[in-house]
Amino acid sequence: MTTNGDARGKRKKSPIKGLDRPAKILKHDSYPPATEIDQSLEEGIYNMDSDPEDHISLPPNPAMAANSVEWQETIEKVVRNVVSIHFCQTCSFDTDSSISSEATGFVVDAQKGYILTNRHVVGAGPFWGFCIFDNHEEVDVHPVYRDPVHDFGILRFDPKAIKYMKVEDLALRPDLAKVGVEIRVVGNDAGEKLSILSGVISRLDRNAPEYGEGYSDFNTNYIQAAAAASGGSSGSPVVNINGHAIALQAGGRSDGAATDYFLPLDRPLRALECIRNGEAVSRGTIQTQWVIKPFDECRRLGLSPDWESAIRKGFPKETGLLVAEVVLPEGPADNKLEEGDVLISVNDELLTQFARLDAILDSNVDQKINIVVQRGGNDVKVELLVGDLHAITPDRFVTVAGGSFHNLSYQQARLYAIPVKGVYVCEAAGSFRFESSDAGWLIESVDQKKTPDLDAFIEVMSKIPDRARVVVHYKHVRDLHTLNTCIVHIDRHWTDKMRMAVRNDDTGLWDFIELAGPLPAEPAVRSKAHFARLDTFGHPAAVDVIRSFVRISCALPLKIDGFPRARKVGFGIVINAEKGLVIASRSIIPFDLCDLSLTIAETIIVEAKVVFLHPIANYAVIQYDPALVDAPVKSATLAKETIKQGAPTLFMGFNQNLRPVVTPTTVTDITTVAIPSNPTAPRYRAINLDAITVDTNLSGQCSSGVLIREDGAVEALWLSYLGERTAHTQKDVEYHLGLATPTLLPVLDQIQSGVKPSLRILNVETNTVQMSQCRIMGVSESWISKVAEANSMRHQLFMVRKVDCAPAGGYDSQALQEGDIILTLNDQLITRLSELDIMYNHEYLDALIVRRGEELKLRVPTIPTVDLETSRAVIFCGVVLHAPHHAVRQQISKLHSEVYVSLRTRGSPAYQYGLGPTNFITALNDQPTPTLEKFIKEAEKVKDNEYFRLRVVTFDNVPWVCTMKKCEHYFPTVEFAKDFEGIWRKKVSGSEGDGIGGMGGVVVAEEGGEGAEEAVDG
């Protein structure tokens, strides 16, 4: 499938220089998580070239120093009205991603509790937040208005909640903004409680700044000044010496230049007056974007001398006119106005300013207006019907199958010059996680049925049963020329509810409406298929193993155990066709909370379940129903003899295109390897491993495969091993290595006989030590001789490199310690890692070791592995909590509690208050929480929207206290747990259901770059 992410934007070039893009100045989060929703907080910050028009020299103002006392009095009055806003945009919606941040606002109506701030603070979607006044009183806020286009929004608070100071409001005086006026920007700058920056207005006629592909204001002029505000000052009042708010801080340059951009207050003042009077804020549109162009450019576009003379006479201070930049297809002005038209008059009124154009449109919604433009020197008169801007601004969205959808907005359509229609994927997750990009997709059809709008999409989705596979056609807003096709596996069991969220401007919340319950999955039917033949490869007996391979798709509804992805695809090999048993890598199937689909012979798709997960050897055994498969599936023959270094073998694997490749090769090495751990987010990795490498470049290209003898016996599995995440690229490293089949047979024999293995292991990680090192460390000459006799290929012993953290009762006195050299276990000399398998079936092992130069005999306990796999997880306030999984116990020396933070999501209370992954929660409201059960009981006592305290210990043993506010409306508590049959069940607290936070039902924090299902070739 073609990648759309880097396609050129369709939108016309902005009049602002390509690199001259300012930054919205929300405060960056200072606590980056270890495991996050991988979509990062993009704020449109770019390096910019200097724009000569941005720097206008003004004469020094001699009154600045003289007025310092007067300014001091003004500031003392203003600061009482300025608030620091702490907020979460709880889910992705329209142009906004889910974020947690800080900004500024100021009181504009003290009696009714209205606060003015930026639209990019209030956001287009669900908002949750509070504000802090100058005296550090805190009060909740909720949105009552966000403008569809302009960068302002209005929040409301309860004035009665402020008890220790008199709340006053700032008067809005847009008429006082003039070039040369000295100003102060009073706000929460760079995360500080209060910062005051000075400046002088240098321009009033700047076009609205462009912030890239996110939200941008347009169809308004901006005020420019030198003030150098930074992160957190969005929404600050720009005041004059009399203490009047004359503009609203909105953006600034990010290249170090001391240039800020302010929104004029004409339209915010009108909106505030409407809201005060209980009136709707009418907003009109003709779906045309205008920009200010100077007269010299207008002349080149065809402005006649007569009109220029008339306009200059009527508006002697004006230096330019409004010119059409984007006319949206199928809008009111389509085929009537054109890009490059110079606006002359509206309803017979000469017009040069955005504010007047807005006023006319807002007062003529659903009515016709007459416009005169100049096009190539000729007058063009058109009659246009003014549309309702609110009608093309989404105020609802639906969540289904893990994804979220709403009608395409005017903001998005304007950005790409496309019609305002279609179903937009605002949260590409769950079943609808498409390739290449997380946002920007438009759904054309589902299950071969057209979905022109959200209502049609809801109707189609309500009739699709759970676990169905349907064809989806979709396009990207940046590339409407390309129709993409994929097959989507519909999940209505983990995310069972289809819910509509509707904005409520009275409460400031988004109300939930349940639309349709899930239809039960249709019964699976037996299907027939034939395997492809690999005759051209030669080696007929060997390549016949193609009939033993199945393609595995593993979808993870909840990411636990530190695993970084929400979906994995790979191959497994059938070890028992009669029982439908398949073995595969644990990098494909990391845990059993998953949906497994197997594709057999590239034709049949069947569901599967996890049967067994090996705790340290990197393989899983899964099972499908063979009664559903009418195909000559072959049980792979696993060799019982260990493959030797230097032996010839046949490598068969599946490359990056998921196609089989075969080549003769040679075993280059069989050696003990240590897969690096991931320090920032511990996750499953194989340990105590003898790995096989081969002499072919294909081995590095194939993550799944086998090494085969000429007679078709499988000598080794070729598996992918998940390793560390590199710091500079933030990419996960996967190692491709061979695992000899004889080491698998004892466990696989039990599984094939119907017994689920209950293994015990030594809770240690080892590494090899050579005889020269052993001699120095105290191993006797007699043991060195015995090692040489026992293993002629590798003269080695094993030393304990790391011991897992101690259980609750502490270490056993007979336990192994770091630095111990293992000589024998149950009187068997250990020179190969496969000989450690003796631990699987013994509660204790008689061990002979060398410790600090002395031989010791110990009765070493093994630990059961049944408790190493996660069996319960809780989503609470935006974090995933469960008992520390095996990888955590391997990497830490002390277990602080059984409540471990595995993951958090952006836009959540946890993100807002700094509770991050790899932390341990030890107490809630001073009540100890040693277990997840105890934590849940204490958490249930906390009321919604109430603060609570968490005692936390970091992975590095540093204790701290986190205060947090509960938000059940958007982030309900969800519990996943295995029942007595080992089947995962989901339970949602309260009646609010799945919520619409960043965990949107169940699916969380998926890593970009993976598709939802199979892409259709071509």
Side-chain angles (χ1 to χ4, degrees):
M1 186 177 296
T2 303
T3 298
N4 297 300
D6 297 325
R8 178 178 60 85
K10 292 179 59 179
R11 191 172 180 277
K12 301 293 189 298
K13 180 176 176 62
S14 169
I16 304 170
K17 288 191 174 183
L19 294 176
D20 186 8
R21 292 186 177 170
K24 300 173 189 174
I25 42 185
L26 302 175
K27 180 181 179 294
H28 283 283
D29 195 299
S30 60
Y31 184 81
T35 304
E36 289 297 348
I37 294 180
D38 289 308
Q39 41 186 346
S40 61
L41 174 58
E42 296 293 344
E43 296 179 344
I45 298 179
Y46 298 83
N47 291 325
M48 296 178 293
D49 292 334
S50 179
D51 184 347
E53 294 184 359
D54 282 353
H55 304 282
I56 297 178
S57 299
L58 292 172
N61 188 347
M64 291 182 70
N67 288 339
S68 59
V69 175
E70 188 175 354
W71 267 116
Q72 184 65 32
E73 294 176 355
T74 298
I75 295 302
E76 288 177 359
K77 296 177 182 179
V78 170
V79 294
R80 292 197 294 269
N81 309 300
V82 177
V83 297
S84 173
I85 301 171
H86 301 249
F87 67 96
C88 299
Q89 294 174 8
T90 65
C91 67
S92 297
F93 184 83
D94 196 11
T95 57
D96 303 326
S97 298
S98 53
I99 62 169
S100 300
S101 191
E102 298 174 16
T104 306
F106 59 99
V107 178
V108 291
D109 190 318
Q111 182 178 358
K112 295 185 177 180
Y114 293 133
I115 293 172
L116 181 64
T117 187
N118 289 127
R119 191 260 200 192
H120 69 258
V121 174
V122 177
F127 172 99
W128 178 74
F130 60 90
C131 70
I132 300 175
F133 280 77
D134 182 55
N135 70 339
H136 291 270
E137 285 192 80
E138 178 182 321
V139 63
D140 290 342
V141 293
H142 65 266
V144 294
Y145 181 75
R146 65 265 281 173
D147 196 79
V149 170
H150 301 320
D151 197 6
F152 75 92
I154 297 175
L155 301 173
R156 190 169 193 177
F157 69 98
D158 181 4
K160 296 178 181 178
I162 305 301
K163 301 177 180 179
Y164 302 104
M165 67 174 285
K166 182 181 179 181
V167 179
E168 299 179 352
D169 49 47
L170 285 181
L172 303 185
R173 292 294 304 273
D175 56 306
L176 299 180
K178 299 177 181 179
V179 172
V181 171
E182 186 184 353
I183 58 168
R184 296 292 186 269
V185 180
V186 184
N188 172 33
D189 188 75
E192 299 295 332
K193 175 61 185 74
L194 187 66
S195 182
I196 302 168
L197 302 173
S198 62
V200 177
I201 293 177
S202 59
R203 289 181 64 185
L204 299 176
D205 59 350
R206 192 194 196 283
N207 280 299
E210 288 282 352
Y211 299 115
E213 293 193 352
Y215 165 76
S216 292
D217 200 347
F218 61 97
N219 282 353
T220 183
N221 60 294
Y222 264 61
I223 299 169
Q224 181 176 301
S230 56
S233 62
S234 286
S236 299
V238 179
V239 298
N240 66 3
I241 197 167
N242 297 318
H244 296 135
I246 63 174
L248 177 68
Q249 169 73 39
R253 293 178 65 91
S254 61
D255 60 353
T259 304
D260 276 359
Y261 308 124
F262 309 139
L263 177 71
L265 293 178
D266 307 81
R267 309 320 291 165
L269 177 58
R270 171 186 176 267
L272 177 62
E273 291 173 347
C274 289
I275 294 171
R276 280 171 169 165
N277 298 329
E279 302 171 357
V281 183
S282 61
R283 296 287 277 115
T285 180
I286 55 174
Q287 296 185 27
T288 301
Q289 178 180 351
W290 305 87
V291 293
I292 303 171
K293 288 188 179 293
F295 280 119
D296 57 320
E297 288 192 47
C298 292
R299 284 194 294 273
R300 293 197 294 270
L301 291 170
L303 177 64
S304 68
D306 291 341
W307 276 121
E308 181 178 354
S309 176
I311 291 170
R312 284 183 179 272
K313 182 178 180 180
F315 306 93
K317 293 184 179 181
E318 297 297 333
T319 59
L321 294 173
L322 302 184
V323 176
E325 187 187 36
V326 177
V327 180
L328 292 195
E330 303 180 26
D334 188 26
N335 295 321
K336 294 182 179 180
L337 295 180
E338 295 180 3
E339 290 84 353
D341 285 352
V342 181
L343 181 62
I344 301 298
S345 68
V346 180
N347 288 346
D348 299 324
E349 176 186 340
L350 291 179
L351 195 148
T352 64
Q353 292 288 332
F354 280 116
R356 184 56 190 151
L357 176 60
D358 261 357
I360 294 173
L361 295 177
D362 292 347
S363 60
N364 286 278
V365 176
D366 296 328
Q367 299 180 36
K368 292 183 178 180
I369 59 173
N370 295 304
I371 289 182
V372 176
V373 297
Q374 278 245 297
R375 183 183 303 160
N378 299 314
D379 287 357
V380 177
K381 300 179 180 181
V382 295
E383 185 180 70
L384 300 176
L385 177 65
V386 178
D388 185 356
L389 185 52
H390 293 299
I392 54 175
T393 301
D395 62 355
R396 60 175 188 154
F397 66 94
V398 66
T399 60
V400 61
S404 297
F405 312 83
H406 58 68
N407 285 319
L408 184 69
S409 70
Y410 181 37
Q411 274 284 341
Q412 295 278 20
R414 188 274 318 182
L415 188 61
Y416 299 102
I418 60 178
V420 189
K421 66 178 184 179
V423 178
Y424 181 77
V425 186
C426 58
E427 189 77 64
S431 300
F432 288 89
R433 182 160 188 79
F434 300 129
E435 293 183 351
S436 333
S437 176
D438 290 339
W441 301 109
L442 293 173
I443 303 295
E444 295 284 311
S445 69
V446 177
D447 197 21
Q448 311 297 356
K449 299 177 181 63
K450 293 287 186 180
T451 54
D453 54 38
L454 190 62
D455 292 330
F457 176 81
I458 293 169
E459 178 68 19
V460 171
M461 289 300 301
S462 66
K463 297 179 180 178
I464 299 176
D466 184 28
R467 301 183 187 274
R469 286 178 169 81
V470 297
V471 177
V472 174
H473 294 109
Y474 58 100
K475 294 181 179 180
H476 199 277
V477 290
R478 286 194 295 265
D479 182 15
L480 296 184
H481 304 293
T482 304
L483 180 66
N484 304 288
T485 302
C486 76
I487 298 171
V488 166
H489 187 200
I490 298 298
D491 167 23
R492 295 296 304 276
H493 46 282
W494 296 117
T495 53
D496 53 338
K497 296 178 181 179
M498 181 192 296
R499 291 155 57 85
M500 177 78 78
V502 182
R503 192 181 74 211
N504 185 332
D505 287 331
D506 293 330
T507 65
L509 297 174
W510 289 63
D511 299 328
F512 303 109
I513 304 170
E514 189 166 339
L515 300 178
L519 298 178
E522 296 179 350
V525 296
R526 183 178 174 87
S527 301
K528 187 175 183 178
H530 299 279
F531 285 91
R533 298 178 62 87
L534 304 181
D535 297 337
T536 58
F537 288 105
H539 315 281
V543 297
D544 193 44
V545 77
I546 189 68
R547 296 196 289 124
S548 302
F549 275 103
V550 297
R551 181 182 171 188
I552 301 171
S553 177
C554 179
L556 307 170
L558 181 69
K559 294 198 294 188
I560 58 177
D561 294 358
F563 194 73
R565 296 186 178 269
R567 178 179 175 270
K568 286 287 287 185
V569 174
F571 286 83
I573 190 164
V574 177
I575 56 174
N576 189 320
E578 292 182 358
K579 296 185 176 181
L581 295 173
V582 178
I583 188 170
S585 169
R586 279 198 67 169
S587 71
I588 301 171
I589 310 166
F591 41 80
D592 56 3
L593 176 55
C594 63
D595 288 335
L596 292 173
S597 298
L598 307 187
T599 303
I600 300 173
E602 299 182 354
T603 305
I604 305 171
I605 300 177
V606 295
E607 306 297 324
K609 64 179 182 180
V610 176
V611 174
F612 174 73
L613 296 167
H614 198 286
I616 58 176
N618 194 52
Y619 68 86
V621 178
I622 61 178
Q623 187 174 32
Y624 66 92
D625 184 359
L628 300 175
V629 178
D630 183 7
V633 180
K634 176 185 176 182
S635 300
T637 301
L638 303 184
K640 298 180 180 180
E641 301 79 21
T642 302
I643 194 170
K644 304 296 184 183
Q645 182 179 5
T649 187
L650 197 66
F651 177 87
M652 179 177 180
F654 289 83
N655 62 18
Q656 296 167 346
N657 295 321
L658 307 181
R659 304 301 302 167
V661 291
V662 180
T663 186
T665 188
T666 302
V667 176
T668 56
D669 198 7
I670 304 175
T671 186
T672 302
V673 299
I675 303 296
S677 61
N678 188 50
T680 57
R683 66 267 188 112
Y684 177 87
R685 65 187 177 96
I687 62 171
N688 302 336
L689 168 71
D690 267 342
I692 300 170
T693 57
V694 292
D695 185 22
T696 173
N697 291 333
L698 291 178
S699 63
Q701 303 173 18
C702 301
S703 60
S704 302
V706 290
L707 302 182
I708 330 167
R709 291 197 313 233
E710 283 290 345
D711 62 1
V714 176
E715 297 180 289
L717 304 180
W718 195 256
L719 305 176
S720 60
Y721 294 77
L722 182 60
E724 75 280 15
R725 172 168 290 190
T726 57
H728 61 287
T729 65
Q730 292 299 303
K731 299 291 185 181
D732 294 303
V733 178
E734 288 196 3
Y735 300 88
H736 303 157
L737 301 165
L739 178 63
T741 53
T743 62
L744 312 174
L745 295 178
V747 173
L748 298 185
D749 287 344
Q750 291 185 58
I751 295 173
Q752 294 189 67
S753 64
V755 177
K756 184 175 181 179
S758 181
L759 306 183
R760 302 183 69 89
I761 61 172
L762 293 168
N763 62 335
V764 299
E765 183 176 351
T766 64
N767 62 344
T768 59
V769 283
Q770 305 306 317
M771 291 302 98
S772 60
Q773 299 167 309
C774 291
R775 180 178 285 112
I776 297 171
M777 298 175 73
V779 177
S780 66
E781 293 298 327
S782 62
W783 281 113
I784 292 175
S785 299
K786 290 177 183 179
V787 169
E789 294 175 5
N791 189 344
S792 60
M793 296 286 292
R794 300 284 181 184
H795 297 172
Q796 62 187 18
L797 287 171
F798 297 96
M799 182 181 72
V800 177
R801 189 187 72 85
K802 182 73 173 67
V803 178
D804 295 356
C805 67
Y811 288 112
D812 190 295
S813 61
Q814 297 288 300
L816 294 172
Q817 297 180 13
E818 291 164 1
D820 289 350
I821 296 177
I822 301 172
L823 298 176
T824 66
L825 295 176
N826 286 359
D827 299 323
Q828 178 181 340
L829 182 61
I830 306 298
T831 66
R832 299 176 180 87
L833 279 175
S834 59
E835 293 165 349
L836 287 176
D837 292 353
I838 192 175
M839 63 185 171
Y840 290 157
N841 302 312
H842 292 84
E843 187 174 354
Y844 290 91
L845 294 170
D846 293 322
L848 179 62
I849 67 167
V850 173
R851 179 181 294 169
R852 299 184 184 90
E854 297 182 1
E855 290 186 12
L856 294 177
K857 289 186 177 180
L858 301 175
R859 185 169 170 76
V860 179
T862 59
I863 62 170
T865 59
V866 65
D867 296 329
L868 295 182
E869 301 297 334
T870 299
S871 60
R872 189 181 191 185
V874 174
I875 303 173
F876 176 76
C877 286
V879 291
V880 176
L881 306 173
H882 55 68
H885 49 288
H886 192 200
V888 173
R889 298 168 189 266
Q890 289 172 330
Q891 292 179 224
I892 202 168
S893 59
K894 181 181 179 181
L895 206 60
H896 304 287
S897 101
E898 292 286 333
V899 185
Y900 174 77
V901 181
S902 180
L903 178 145
R904 72 173 175 181
T905 180
R906 287 184 181 272
S908 67
Y911 202 102
Q912 175 75 37
Y913 294 98
L915 179 63
T918 72
N919 281 307
F920 296 85
I921 299 175
T922 60
L924 192 157
N925 284 342
D926 298 325
Q927 296 298 312
T929 55
T931 65
L932 200 58
E933 181 67 31
K934 179 66 174 175
F935 177 85
I936 294 172
K937 289 182 178 179
E938 293 301 324
E940 289 173 347
K941 299 176 183 177
V942 180
K943 297 178 181 179
D944 189 26
N945 207 43
E946 181 179 87
Y947 272 107
F948 57 92
R949 299 181 307 281
L950 295 174
R951 292 199 175 275
V952 184
V953 181
T954 70
F955 203 80
D956 297 322
N957 305 321
V958 179
W960 63 289
V961 176
C962 173
T963 58
M964 189 183 304
K965 185 182 288 187
K966 199 174 186 180
C967 179
E968 285 285 336
H969 187 78
Y970 294 132
F971 296 90
T973 301
V974 182
E975 182 178 352
F976 291 80
K978 288 184 182 179
D979 61 17
F980 65 94
E981 295 179 342
I983 299 174
W984 282 93
R985 306 289 184 187
K986 171 190 166 189
K987 176 185 176 183
V988 182
S989 69
S991 59
E992 287 296 334
D994 288 347
I996 57 172
M999 295 193 178
V1002 182
V1003 179
V1004 275
E1006 298 164 0
E1007 185 161 339
E1010 290 195 343
E1013 265 296 343
E1014 300 87 351
V1016 176
D1017 293 339

